[in-house]
Amino acid sequence: MAVSTSVRNYMIVTLAYWGFTITDGALRMLVLLYFNQIGYTPLQIAFLFLFYEIFGIVTNFLGGWIGSRLG
């Protein structure tokens, strides 16, 4: 039985997203462990991630604004 093109595309996108989610989480953990190893305090690491997340929000807003202006 052949799998339809739309189901195949859905499976590809889903697997790619899962792969990204797993590797993104692993990379964040490696960064956390690295900064801990070089002597950062837990509070400094928390602020580092807060800074990272805030700029992720700014980047998304800016990208959305540019996308709405330029199409």
Side-chain angles (χ1 to χ4, degrees):
M1 180 170 140
V3 177
S4 70
T5 304
S6 59
V7 172
R8 186 177 128 294
N9 290 341
Y10 175 79
M11 288 170 44
I12 290 170
V13 170
T14 300
L15 289 173
Y17 182 75
W18 284 357
F20 168 75
T21 301
I22 290 169
T23 57
D24 183 53
L27 286 172
R28 286 177 188 235
M29 184 57 66
L30 290 174
V31 168
L32 173 76
L33 293 172
Y34 172 72
F35 279 111
N36 182 55
Q37 183 180 15
I38 63 173
Y40 279 66
T41 66
L43 188 60
Q44 289 173 320
I45 295 171
F47 277 115
L48 178 74
F49 274 94
L50 182 64
F51 182 73
Y52 171 80
E53 291 298 330
I54 288 171
F55 274 92
I57 293 168
V58 170
T59 301
N60 283 328
F61 275 128
L62 186 60
W65 180 79
I66 291 171
S68 70
R69 295 287 178 206
L70 300 179

